Protein backbone atom coordinates (compact mmCIF):
# COMPACT_ATOMS: atom_id res chain seq x y z
CA UNK A 1 0.00 0.00 0.00
CA UNK A 2 1.33 3.44 -0.89
CA UNK A 3 1.58 6.26 1.60
CA UNK A 4 -1.20 8.06 -0.27
CA UNK A 5 -3.49 5.04 0.07
CA UNK A 6 -2.84 4.91 3.81
CA UNK A 7 -3.62 8.62 4.12
CA UNK A 8 -6.86 8.27 2.18
CA UNK A 9 -8.00 5.31 4.30
CA UNK A 10 -7.28 7.24 7.50
CA UNK A 11 -8.99 10.36 6.13
CA UNK A 12 -12.12 8.40 5.22
CA UNK A 13 -12.18 6.81 8.67
CA UNK A 14 -11.89 10.20 10.39
CA UNK A 15 -14.56 11.70 8.15
CA UNK A 16 -16.97 8.82 8.85
CA UNK A 17 -16.45 9.37 12.59
CA UNK A 18 -16.73 13.19 12.28
CA UNK A 19 -13.26 13.38 13.78
CA UNK A 20 -11.60 16.74 12.91
CA UNK A 21 -8.15 16.48 11.37
CA UNK A 22 -5.47 18.52 9.66
CA UNK A 23 -3.03 17.83 6.87
CA UNK A 24 0.66 18.64 7.31
CA UNK A 25 2.53 18.97 4.00
CA UNK A 26 6.23 19.59 3.41
CA UNK A 27 6.13 22.45 0.88
CA UNK A 28 9.74 23.64 0.72
CA UNK A 29 13.16 22.32 1.73
CA UNK A 30 16.42 24.24 1.71
CA UNK A 31 19.47 22.09 2.32
CA UNK A 32 19.23 18.54 3.66
CA UNK A 33 16.08 16.91 5.01
CA UNK A 34 14.77 13.39 5.54
CA UNK A 35 11.61 13.97 3.49
CA UNK A 36 11.19 16.06 0.35
CA UNK A 37 8.40 18.48 -0.65
CA UNK A 38 5.13 16.60 -1.00
CA UNK A 39 5.58 14.44 2.11
CA UNK A 40 2.35 14.42 4.12
CA UNK A 41 1.02 13.59 7.56
CA UNK A 42 -2.57 13.48 8.76
CA UNK A 43 -3.18 14.68 12.33
CA UNK A 44 -6.44 14.25 14.25
CA UNK A 45 -7.82 16.59 16.89
CA UNK A 46 -6.62 14.21 19.61
CA UNK A 47 -3.16 13.76 18.06
CA UNK A 48 -3.34 10.51 16.06
CA UNK A 49 -0.77 10.53 13.22
CA UNK A 50 -0.80 8.89 9.79
CA UNK A 51 2.16 9.36 7.47
CA UNK A 52 5.41 11.20 8.16
CA UNK A 53 7.03 14.54 7.36
CA UNK A 54 10.49 13.73 8.72
CA UNK A 55 12.47 10.93 10.31
CA UNK A 56 10.69 11.61 13.59
CA UNK A 57 12.33 14.84 14.71
CA UNK A 58 9.57 17.22 13.54
CA UNK A 59 6.45 15.17 14.14
CA UNK A 60 6.03 16.04 17.82
CA UNK A 61 5.99 19.81 17.40
CA UNK A 62 4.06 19.63 14.12
CA UNK A 63 1.39 17.53 15.85
CA UNK A 64 0.80 20.24 18.45
CA UNK A 65 0.74 22.99 15.86
CA UNK A 66 -1.66 21.02 13.65
CA UNK A 67 -4.04 20.55 16.58
CA UNK A 68 -3.88 24.31 17.18
CA UNK A 69 -4.70 24.92 13.50
CA UNK A 70 -7.75 22.65 13.83
CA UNK A 71 -8.91 24.59 16.91
CA UNK A 72 -8.34 27.99 15.24
CA UNK A 73 -9.75 26.87 11.88
CA UNK A 74 -6.91 28.53 9.97
CA UNK A 75 -3.95 27.17 7.98
CA UNK A 76 -0.46 27.88 9.28
CA UNK A 77 3.00 27.79 7.73
CA UNK A 78 5.78 26.75 10.08
CA UNK A 79 9.52 26.79 9.38
CA UNK A 80 11.95 24.39 11.05
CA UNK A 81 15.66 25.11 10.86
CA UNK A 82 17.32 21.81 11.76
CA UNK A 83 20.71 23.48 11.51
CA UNK A 84 19.97 25.12 14.86
CA UNK A 85 21.21 22.68 17.52
CA UNK A 86 19.57 24.74 20.28
CA UNK A 87 16.06 24.67 18.81
CA UNK A 88 14.07 22.33 21.11
CA UNK A 89 11.24 21.88 18.61
CA UNK A 90 12.94 19.14 16.63
CA UNK A 91 14.70 17.16 19.35
CA UNK A 92 18.33 16.90 20.28
CA UNK A 93 21.35 16.91 18.02
CA UNK A 94 22.17 18.63 14.74
CA UNK A 95 19.26 17.12 12.82
CA UNK A 96 19.34 16.99 9.03
CA UNK A 97 21.10 20.33 8.53
CA UNK A 98 18.34 21.93 6.49
CA UNK A 99 15.35 24.26 6.55
CA UNK A 100 11.95 22.60 6.24
CA UNK A 101 8.71 24.51 5.69
CA UNK A 102 5.46 22.75 6.51
CA UNK A 103 1.91 23.82 5.69
CA UNK A 104 -0.67 22.85 8.34
CA UNK A 105 -4.30 22.88 7.17
CA UNK A 106 -7.56 21.98 8.91
CA UNK A 107 -9.58 19.83 6.53
CA UNK A 108 -13.18 20.61 5.62
CA UNK A 109 -14.79 17.25 4.96
CA UNK A 110 -17.57 18.78 2.83
CA UNK A 111 -15.23 20.74 0.54
CA UNK A 112 -15.04 18.87 -2.79
CA UNK A 113 -11.59 20.28 -3.58
CA UNK A 114 -9.93 19.97 -0.21
CA UNK A 115 -6.36 18.60 -0.56
CA UNK A 116 -7.30 15.01 0.27
CA UNK A 117 -10.10 15.01 -2.30
CA UNK A 118 -7.75 16.35 -4.97
CA UNK A 119 -5.29 13.59 -4.10
CA UNK A 120 -8.13 11.07 -4.27
CA UNK A 121 -8.96 12.33 -7.76
CA UNK A 122 -5.40 11.57 -8.84
CA UNK A 123 -5.45 8.13 -7.18
CA UNK A 124 -8.70 7.19 -8.92
CA UNK A 125 -7.37 8.19 -12.34
CA UNK A 126 -3.68 7.30 -12.14
CA UNK A 127 -1.90 9.32 -14.78
CA UNK A 128 0.94 11.81 -14.28
CA UNK A 129 -0.30 15.06 -12.77
CA UNK A 130 0.87 18.22 -11.01
CA UNK A 131 -0.57 19.43 -7.73
CA UNK A 132 0.07 23.14 -7.14
CA UNK A 133 -0.18 24.18 -3.48
CA UNK A 134 -0.08 27.85 -2.45
CA UNK A 135 1.83 28.28 0.81
CA UNK A 136 2.53 32.02 0.64
CA UNK A 137 0.17 34.72 -0.66
CA UNK A 138 -0.04 38.51 -0.62
CA UNK A 139 -2.06 39.50 2.42
CA UNK A 140 -3.07 42.94 1.11
CA UNK A 141 -6.71 42.15 0.53
CA UNK A 142 -6.16 40.09 -2.63
CA UNK A 143 -8.04 36.87 -3.23
CA UNK A 144 -5.15 34.41 -3.25
CA UNK A 145 -4.89 32.50 0.01
CA UNK A 146 -2.61 29.99 1.66
CA UNK A 147 -3.85 26.46 1.04
CA UNK A 148 -5.50 27.10 -2.32
CA UNK A 149 -4.70 24.40 -4.85
CA UNK A 150 -4.84 23.40 -8.47
CA UNK A 151 -4.59 19.88 -9.88
CA UNK A 152 -3.56 19.47 -13.52
CA UNK A 153 -3.67 16.01 -15.07
CA UNK A 154 -1.63 14.87 -18.07
CA UNK A 155 -4.90 14.88 -20.01
CA UNK A 156 -5.33 18.60 -19.34
CA UNK A 157 -8.11 18.35 -16.74
CA UNK A 158 -7.87 21.13 -14.14
CA UNK A 159 -9.47 21.11 -10.68
CA UNK A 160 -9.08 23.63 -7.91
CA UNK A 161 -9.37 27.37 -7.28
CA UNK A 162 -10.67 29.04 -10.50
CA UNK A 163 -8.85 32.34 -9.98
CA UNK A 164 -5.53 30.49 -9.89
CA UNK A 165 -6.24 28.46 -12.99
CA UNK A 166 -4.77 30.32 -15.95
CA UNK A 167 -1.25 31.32 -14.84
CA UNK A 168 -0.79 28.53 -12.34
CA UNK A 169 -2.01 25.94 -14.85
CA UNK A 170 0.60 27.20 -17.31
CA UNK A 171 3.32 26.81 -14.68
CA UNK A 172 1.97 23.37 -13.80
CA UNK A 173 2.02 22.30 -17.46
CA UNK A 174 5.65 23.39 -17.76
CA UNK A 175 6.45 21.45 -14.59
CA UNK A 176 4.73 18.36 -15.95
CA UNK A 177 6.74 18.62 -19.17
CA UNK A 178 9.97 19.08 -17.24
CA UNK A 179 9.15 16.14 -14.96
CA UNK A 180 10.57 17.67 -11.78
CA UNK A 181 8.75 19.12 -8.77
CA UNK A 182 9.69 22.71 -7.92
CA UNK A 183 8.77 25.80 -5.90
CA UNK A 184 7.81 28.90 -7.89
CA UNK A 185 6.66 32.47 -7.39
CA UNK A 186 3.68 32.97 -9.72
CA UNK A 187 1.66 36.10 -10.51
CA UNK A 188 -1.93 34.83 -10.63
CA UNK A 189 -5.22 36.61 -11.28
CA UNK A 190 -5.81 36.43 -7.52
CA UNK A 191 -2.45 37.99 -6.67
CA UNK A 192 1.16 36.85 -6.37
CA UNK A 193 1.71 33.48 -4.70
CA UNK A 194 4.52 31.13 -3.81
CA UNK A 195 3.56 27.57 -4.59
CA UNK A 196 4.85 24.03 -4.53
CA UNK A 197 4.31 22.42 -7.93
CA UNK A 198 4.48 18.75 -7.12
CA UNK A 199 4.75 15.97 -9.70
CA UNK A 200 2.36 13.12 -8.90
CA UNK A 201 3.26 9.82 -10.56
CA UNK A 202 1.15 6.66 -10.74
CA UNK A 203 2.43 3.53 -9.00
CA UNK A 204 4.96 1.50 -10.95
CA UNK A 205 3.37 -1.44 -12.75
CA UNK A 206 5.23 -4.75 -12.58
CA UNK A 207 4.33 -7.89 -14.55
CA UNK A 208 5.82 -11.14 -13.25
CA UNK A 209 5.85 -14.07 -15.68
CA UNK A 210 5.95 -17.18 -13.53
CA UNK A 211 3.98 -18.17 -10.44
CA UNK A 212 6.51 -20.40 -8.74
CA UNK A 213 7.52 -20.17 -5.11
CA UNK A 214 10.37 -17.73 -5.88
CA UNK A 215 7.85 -15.27 -7.36
CA UNK A 216 5.99 -14.95 -4.06
CA UNK A 217 8.59 -12.90 -2.13
CA UNK A 218 9.11 -10.70 -5.20
CA UNK A 219 5.39 -9.93 -5.41
CA UNK A 220 5.21 -9.29 -1.65
CA UNK A 221 8.17 -6.92 -1.67
CA UNK A 222 7.05 -5.04 -4.78
CA UNK A 223 3.50 -4.65 -3.42
CA UNK A 224 4.86 -3.35 -0.11
CA UNK A 225 6.40 -0.47 -2.10
CA UNK A 226 3.00 0.40 -3.52
CA UNK A 227 3.72 -1.12 -6.94
CA UNK A 228 0.83 -2.65 -8.87
CA UNK A 229 1.84 -6.23 -9.54
CA UNK A 230 0.34 -8.66 -12.06
CA UNK A 231 1.28 -12.36 -12.17
CA UNK A 232 1.09 -14.35 -15.41
CA UNK A 233 1.56 -18.12 -15.73
CA UNK A 234 0.18 -20.99 -17.72
CA UNK A 235 -0.23 -23.33 -14.71
CA UNK A 236 -3.69 -23.08 -13.09
CA UNK A 237 -2.53 -24.76 -9.89
CA UNK A 238 0.10 -22.07 -9.32
CA UNK A 239 -1.45 -18.92 -10.81
CA UNK A 240 -4.03 -18.35 -8.07
CA UNK A 241 -5.05 -15.32 -6.04
CA UNK A 242 -4.63 -17.38 -2.87
CA UNK A 243 -0.91 -17.80 -3.58
CA UNK A 244 -0.49 -14.12 -4.50
CA UNK A 245 -2.87 -12.11 -2.30
CA UNK A 246 -0.76 -8.97 -2.74
CA UNK A 247 -1.08 -8.99 -6.55
CA UNK A 248 -3.64 -6.74 -8.21
CA UNK A 249 -4.17 -9.37 -10.91
CA UNK A 250 -3.31 -13.05 -11.45
CA UNK A 251 -3.83 -14.39 -14.97
CA UNK A 252 -3.61 -17.87 -16.44
CA UNK A 253 -2.05 -17.53 -19.90
CA UNK A 254 -0.81 -20.72 -21.61
CA UNK A 255 2.39 -20.45 -23.60
CA UNK A 256 0.55 -20.76 -26.91
CA UNK A 257 -1.49 -17.66 -26.05
CA UNK A 258 1.42 -15.46 -24.98
CA UNK A 259 2.22 -14.45 -28.56
CA UNK A 260 -1.30 -13.06 -28.97
CA UNK A 261 -1.08 -10.87 -25.86
CA UNK A 262 -0.67 -7.11 -25.98
CA UNK A 263 1.90 -6.36 -23.26
CA UNK A 264 1.67 -3.25 -21.13
CA UNK A 265 4.42 -1.18 -22.76
CA UNK A 266 4.66 1.16 -19.76
CA UNK A 267 5.12 -1.66 -17.25
CA UNK A 268 8.28 -3.32 -15.98
CA UNK A 269 8.50 -7.05 -16.77
CA UNK A 270 10.25 -9.89 -14.95
CA UNK A 271 10.58 -13.41 -16.38
CA UNK A 272 10.71 -16.03 -13.61
CA UNK A 273 8.93 -18.93 -15.29
CA UNK A 274 11.87 -21.40 -15.25
CA UNK A 275 10.40 -22.56 -18.56
CA UNK A 276 12.46 -21.96 -21.69
CA UNK A 277 9.52 -21.96 -24.09
CA UNK A 278 7.53 -19.60 -21.86
CA UNK A 279 10.44 -17.17 -21.57
CA UNK A 280 10.94 -17.29 -25.34
CA UNK A 281 7.30 -16.51 -26.06
CA UNK A 282 7.29 -13.69 -23.51
CA UNK A 283 10.46 -12.14 -24.93
CA UNK A 284 9.05 -12.34 -28.44
CA UNK A 285 6.11 -10.14 -27.40
CA UNK A 286 8.06 -7.80 -25.10
CA UNK A 287 11.19 -6.85 -27.01
CA UNK A 288 9.41 -5.02 -29.87
CA UNK A 289 7.61 -2.81 -27.33
CA UNK A 290 8.87 0.24 -25.47
CA UNK A 291 8.75 -1.56 -22.11
CA UNK A 292 11.45 0.17 -20.01
CA UNK A 293 12.65 -2.98 -18.25
CA UNK A 294 12.67 -6.68 -19.09
CA UNK A 295 14.44 -8.86 -16.52
CA UNK A 296 15.26 -12.50 -17.24
CA UNK A 297 16.18 -15.00 -14.54
CA UNK A 298 18.98 -17.36 -15.49
CA UNK A 299 22.58 -17.45 -16.72
CA UNK A 300 24.00 -15.35 -19.54
CA UNK A 301 24.12 -18.39 -21.83
CA UNK A 302 20.35 -18.76 -21.57
CA UNK A 303 19.76 -15.16 -22.58
CA UNK A 304 22.14 -15.52 -25.50
CA UNK A 305 20.40 -18.64 -26.73
CA UNK A 306 16.96 -17.04 -26.45
CA UNK A 307 18.07 -14.00 -28.44
CA UNK A 308 19.58 -16.27 -31.10
CA UNK A 309 16.25 -18.07 -31.45
CA UNK A 310 14.62 -14.70 -31.97
CA UNK A 311 16.98 -14.35 -34.94
CA UNK A 312 18.69 -11.21 -33.67
CA UNK A 313 22.10 -10.39 -35.03
CA UNK A 314 25.06 -10.18 -32.69
CA UNK A 315 24.94 -6.39 -32.81
CA UNK A 316 21.21 -6.41 -32.05
CA UNK A 317 21.77 -8.77 -29.13
CA UNK A 318 24.42 -6.45 -27.68
CA UNK A 319 22.07 -3.52 -28.11
CA UNK A 320 19.17 -5.27 -26.35
CA UNK A 321 21.34 -6.49 -23.48
CA UNK A 322 22.85 -3.04 -23.11
CA UNK A 323 19.52 -1.22 -22.89
CA UNK A 324 16.37 -2.98 -21.73
CA UNK A 325 17.02 -6.69 -21.21
CA UNK A 326 18.61 -7.36 -17.84
CA UNK A 327 20.07 -10.84 -17.67
CA UNK A 328 21.30 -12.09 -15.29
CA UNK A 329 18.59 -10.21 -13.46
CA UNK A 330 19.08 -7.99 -10.42
CA UNK A 331 21.86 -6.09 -8.71
CA UNK A 332 24.94 -7.90 -7.46
CA UNK A 333 24.07 -8.02 -3.75
CA UNK A 334 25.29 -11.54 -3.04
CA UNK A 335 21.77 -12.90 -2.65
CA UNK A 336 21.03 -16.62 -2.52
CA UNK A 337 17.56 -17.11 -1.05
CA UNK A 338 14.35 -16.22 -2.94
CA UNK A 339 13.86 -13.26 -0.60
CA UNK A 340 17.39 -11.98 -1.21
CA UNK A 341 17.01 -12.41 -4.97
CA UNK A 342 13.70 -10.52 -4.82
CA UNK A 343 15.50 -7.66 -3.08
CA UNK A 344 18.18 -7.59 -5.81
CA UNK A 345 15.51 -7.50 -8.54
CA UNK A 346 13.44 -4.77 -6.90
CA UNK A 347 16.57 -2.70 -6.26
CA UNK A 348 17.56 -2.95 -9.93
CA UNK A 349 14.10 -1.92 -11.10
CA UNK A 350 14.14 1.06 -8.73
CA UNK A 351 17.52 2.15 -10.11
CA UNK A 352 16.34 1.83 -13.73
CA UNK A 353 13.11 3.68 -12.98
CA UNK A 354 14.99 6.61 -11.44
CA UNK A 355 17.80 6.62 -13.98
CA UNK A 356 20.39 5.95 -11.30
CA UNK A 357 23.66 4.05 -11.47
CA UNK A 358 23.69 1.87 -8.32
CA UNK A 359 26.46 2.76 -5.88
CA UNK A 360 27.07 3.37 -2.21
CA UNK A 361 25.70 6.73 -1.10
CA UNK A 362 28.91 7.27 0.88
CA UNK A 363 30.80 7.21 -2.44
CA UNK A 364 28.69 9.95 -4.03
CA UNK A 365 29.29 13.67 -3.88
CA UNK A 366 25.86 14.73 -5.15
CA UNK A 367 22.84 15.32 -2.93
CA UNK A 368 20.99 12.16 -1.93
CA UNK A 369 17.81 13.69 -3.34
CA UNK A 370 19.47 15.20 -6.41
CA UNK A 371 17.33 15.21 -9.53
CA UNK A 372 17.72 11.95 -11.39
CA UNK A 373 19.05 11.90 -14.94
CA UNK A 374 16.66 10.86 -17.65
CA UNK A 375 15.71 7.22 -17.36
CA UNK A 376 17.01 4.76 -19.95
CA UNK A 377 13.36 3.89 -20.52
CA UNK A 378 13.56 6.04 -23.63
CA UNK A 379 15.96 3.60 -25.31
CA UNK A 380 14.76 2.69 -28.82
CA UNK A 381 12.80 -0.52 -29.33
CA UNK A 382 13.83 -3.11 -31.87
CA UNK A 383 11.30 -1.77 -34.33
CA UNK A 384 12.38 1.84 -33.90
CA UNK A 385 16.12 1.22 -33.86
CA UNK A 386 18.28 2.26 -36.77
CA UNK A 387 21.40 0.47 -38.07
CA UNK A 388 23.47 3.08 -36.23
CA UNK A 389 21.89 1.95 -32.98
CA UNK A 390 23.33 -1.51 -33.50
CA UNK A 391 26.86 -0.40 -34.28
CA UNK A 392 29.61 -1.94 -32.18
Amino acid sequence: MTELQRLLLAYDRHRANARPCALATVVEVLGSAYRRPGARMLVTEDGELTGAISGGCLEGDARQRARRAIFQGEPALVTYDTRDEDDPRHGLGPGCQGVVRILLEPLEFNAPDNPMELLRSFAQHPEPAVLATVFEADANGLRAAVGQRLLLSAGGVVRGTPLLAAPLAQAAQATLTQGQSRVLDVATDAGPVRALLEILTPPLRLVVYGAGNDAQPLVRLAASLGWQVSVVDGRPNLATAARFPEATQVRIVPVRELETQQPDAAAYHVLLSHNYAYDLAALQTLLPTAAPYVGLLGPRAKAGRLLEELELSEAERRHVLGHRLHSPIGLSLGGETPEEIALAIVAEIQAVKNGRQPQHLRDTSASIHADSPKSPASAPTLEAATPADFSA
Side-chain angles (χ1 to χ4, degrees):
M1 184 182 295
T2 65
E3 186 173 59
L4 175 55
Q5 289 171 325
R6 287 192 293 270
L7 287 170
L8 286 169
L9 285 173
Y11 169 78
D12 287 341
R13 186 174 69 251
H14 302 329
R15 183 177 60 177
N17 294 325
R19 194 179 180 191
C21 57
L23 182 67
T25 305
V26 178
V27 291
E28 189 170 24
V29 172
L30 304 173
S32 176
Y34 185 78
R35 298 298 304 270
R36 305 305 294 169
R40 297 178 178 85
M41 180 175 73
L42 205 60
V43 185
T44 64
E45 188 177 39
D46 56 359
E48 180 183 328
L49 303 181
T50 305
I53 53 172
S54 77
C57 56
L58 305 181
E59 275 73 4
D61 186 74
R63 182 208 315 248
Q64 298 306 318
R65 291 172 178 269
R67 294 174 68 186
R68 189 182 311 161
I70 294 172
F71 176 76
Q72 295 176 341
E74 294 289 340
L77 181 67
V78 58
T79 299
Y80 296 96
D81 188 346
T82 62
R83 300 169 300 183
D84 184 356
E85 299 180 24
D86 297 323
D87 189 339
R89 294 181 303 169
H90 48 77
L92 302 175
C96 292
Q97 296 294 295
V99 177
V100 182
R101 309 188 74 191
I102 296 173
L103 179 62
L104 307 169
E105 304 168 89
L107 295 176
E108 297 182 24
F109 292 135
N110 295 326
D113 285 335
N114 78 35
M116 293 306 301
E117 294 300 341
L118 289 179
L119 289 168
R120 188 197 307 278
S121 175
F122 161 74
Q124 290 175 338
H125 306 283
E127 61 175 339
V130 173
L131 181 63
T133 300
V134 173
F135 61 90
E136 286 184 355
D138 193 321
N140 296 325
L142 295 174
R143 291 169 291 179
V146 170
Q148 291 179 333
R149 281 178 172 80
L150 181 146
L151 178 69
L152 172 71
S153 71
V157 177
V158 177
R159 284 186 57 179
T161 308
L163 288 172
L164 299 176
L168 205 55
Q170 292 174 5
Q173 182 60 61
T175 300
L176 189 61
T177 301
Q178 184 185 30
Q180 298 289 348
S181 298
R182 55 183 176 163
V183 172
L184 281 182
D185 293 308
V186 182
T188 74
D189 297 339
V193 301
R194 187 167 179 81
L196 166 64
L197 284 83
E198 176 193 356
I199 295 287
L200 302 177
T201 56
L204 182 147
R205 298 194 298 276
L206 176 67
V207 182
V208 179
Y209 296 80
N213 292 342
D214 58 344
Q216 291 175 306
L218 174 61
V219 172
R220 283 195 298 270
L221 180 56
S224 74
L225 297 175
W227 297 0
Q228 294 182 350
V229 189
S230 300
V231 178
V232 178
D233 200 299
R235 297 166 290 184
N237 60 318
L238 295 181
T240 67
R243 282 173 49 79
F244 296 94
E246 304 86 359
T248 55
Q249 184 182 51
V250 180
R251 295 191 296 137
I252 301 171
V253 182
V255 63
R256 63 181 178 275
E257 296 179 12
L258 270 180
E259 295 181 5
T260 65
Q261 300 293 304
Q262 294 294 326
D264 183 349
Y268 291 63
H269 302 261
V270 171
L271 279 57
L272 298 181
S273 73
H274 300 277
N275 182 298
Y276 186 87
Y278 208 84
D279 289 342
L280 179 64
L283 277 179
Q284 192 165 11
T285 63
L286 289 172
L287 290 184
T289 73
Y293 177 95
V294 180
L296 172 65
L297 184 70
R300 292 180 178 85
K302 176 185 175 181
R305 182 182 168 194
L306 285 166
L307 294 178
E308 284 182 6
E309 287 212 36
L310 293 175
E311 298 183 349
L312 301 184
S313 69
E314 182 178 350
E316 289 173 329
R317 291 198 297 272
R318 286 199 304 270
H319 174 78
V320 169
L321 287 168
H323 286 88
R324 291 187 300 119
L325 180 59
H326 297 256
S327 184
I329 193 173
L331 298 185
S332 179
L333 304 180
E336 294 289 339
T337 68
E339 289 77 13
E340 292 170 340
I341 293 170
L343 175 62
I345 294 172
V346 166
E348 181 175 65
I349 292 173
Q350 182 80 3
V352 170
K353 171 181 176 288
N354 292 325
R356 293 294 186 96
Q357 183 66 34
Q359 61 184 134
H360 295 290
L361 285 174
R362 69 181 183 190
D363 297 333
T364 65
S365 58
S367 166
I368 294 173
H369 298 288
D371 293 340
S372 302
K374 289 208 172 182
S375 169
S378 59
T381 65
L382 288 181
E383 290 180 340
T386 65
D389 293 321
F390 297 124
S391 60

